[in-house]
Amino acid sequence: MNRISLARTTVAAAAALLTAACGTAAGSSGEGPPAPPAPTTAAVPARVTHALPADPVRMVLPVTGAESRWTQGLDVFGQQVARTAAADCARADGIGLTEQVPLAFISYAELPDLGFLARHGFGHGTEVPPPTPAPTSAARPAPATRSGSPAQIRRCRAEGESAAEAVRKVYLPVQRAWFGELSATRRAPAAARALRVLPECLADQGYRVRDEEAFFALVDSRLMNAPAADYARVDRALGSAYATCMRPVETVREPMRLELRERFLADHAEEIRELRAALVPALRRAEKAYGLRLAFPTP
C-alpha cells in the first residue's frame, strides 16, 4: 500500500471494524502470526502466511496488533469470495465486469501492529496474493469481452455479496459485538494517561507533534512528499518512531483488552462454542468452492 497514510488507513479500518472484521482462553499468550525478526536497514518485503491460529476465534476477536493480522486476512477473504462469485456469474452470462481497485490488508486503528510498523513503516503493506485462476471448463467458461448491462452487473455483484455473506454470517455478529466493546478500552483512564506521554516521546525521536492524530497527519505529509529514492528510509523511520513510543501505551492497553476478552468469552459462551465449531469448516468450503486460499499478512 505505497503512499497510503495511516490517517487514511484509520478511516478504512474504522469502516472495516463495523462491516468486516481473536479470542483465547484464560492464561493464553495472545500470540499472533509469526513475530518479526530483528529490524534491518534494508527494505524487506512483507509476506503472507497461511497458518491458522491454534484457536480460530482469534481471527474474530483480536486483542493485539499481531492478532489483528488474522482478522485482516479474514476480511480480505470475504472480499475475495465476493469478487470471485461475481466473476463466475459474469462468465456464465458471457459478460465482463467493471474493474475494481486491488484488495489490500487494512490495519486496525484500535490495534496498532507495532512489530509490523517497526519493520515496514506505514506505506509498505503486504500485497494480497491473487487467487489461483480456475481452469476453463463448462462450469467456468472463458471470460467474455463484451460489457454487461448495469442490471447484469448489479445482479452478479449481488450474487458475489450473497456468497460472501454465507461465510461472514458465521462470525460477523460476534465480531461486531466484540469491536463495539473493544473501542471502550481506548477511553479508559489508564490508557488515556499513557497516551498523553506520546508527544514527548515522539519529540525525542525528532517528531514534534501535539498528539497521535497530528503525528498521523505528519506521516501523510512526509510520505506524500518523500522523493522516491528516500521513501523507504523515511517510511521506516516514521514507523520505527511510532512503534517505539506506542509500546508503553500498548503495555497498558493490551492487558485491559485481554481481560475484556475473557469477560466477553464468558458472556457469549454459547456463541463462541458455535463459532469454534463452524468457522474453519466454512472457510475451507469457501476455499474449495472458489479456488481461494486464506492468507494473512506477516512481517
Side-chain angles (χ1 to χ4, degrees), residues 124-151:
H124 289 84
T126 306
E127 292 187 6
V128 175
T132 302
T136 300
S137 65
R140 294 194 177 194
T145 55
R146 70 181 181 89
S147 299
S149 68

Side-chain angles (χ1 to χ4, degrees), residues 194 197-198 200-203 205 240-249:
V197 305
L198 182 67
E200 181 180 348
C201 177
L202 289 170
Q205 298 287 322
S240 178
Y242 182 74
T244 296
C245 293
M246 279 297 289
R247 283 193 181 98
V249 180

Side-chain angles (χ1 to χ4, degrees), residues 47-74:
R47 304 157 301 175
V48 297
T49 178
H50 302 287
L52 293 175
D55 183 353
V57 176
R58 293 184 187 178
M59 288 187 282
V60 180
L61 312 179
V63 298
T64 68
E67 284 187 344
S68 77
R69 297 171 203 158
W70 280 314
T71 316
Q72 294 174 49
L74 190 60

Side-chain angles (χ1 to χ4, degrees), residues 149-279:
S149 68
Q152 286 176 307
I153 292 173
R154 283 195 300 271
R155 182 176 62 79
C156 286
R157 297 281 188 220
E159 283 196 20
E161 286 304 315
S162 178
E165 177 59 25
V167 178
R168 291 174 179 150
K169 70 180 181 181
V170 174
Y171 66 87
L172 194 54
V174 175
Q175 188 177 67
R176 282 176 171 158
W178 167 243
F179 275 112
E181 296 193 18
L182 185 65
S183 62
T185 61
R186 192 176 181 88
R187 300 189 297 270
R193 285 194 299 271
L195 197 58
R196 281 198 291 269
V197 305
L198 182 67
E200 181 180 348
C201 177
L202 289 170
D204 291 340
Q205 298 287 322
Y207 304 100
R208 296 189 176 277
V209 292
R210 67 180 181 277
D211 55 24
E212 187 180 20
E213 184 176 349
F215 180 73
F216 294 159
L218 177 66
V219 170
D220 191 12
S221 175
R222 292 281 179 93
L223 295 186
M224 292 298 291
N225 293 291
D230 206 30
Y231 181 86
R233 183 195 64 79
V234 171
D235 189 19
R236 288 197 304 276
L238 288 162
S240 178
Y242 182 74
T244 296
C245 293
M246 279 297 289
R247 283 193 181 98
V249 180
E250 286 297 276
T251 298
V252 172
R253 297 198 298 203
E254 285 186 8
M256 296 169 59
R257 296 188 202 116
L258 282 165
E259 182 179 349
L260 179 64
R261 184 165 65 185
E262 296 307 322
R263 293 200 302 269
F264 186 90
L265 291 172
D267 292 343
H268 299 78
E270 182 58 34
E271 296 160 277
I272 297 302
R273 279 193 294 271
E274 293 175 0
L275 181 63
R276 285 193 172 109
L279 181 56

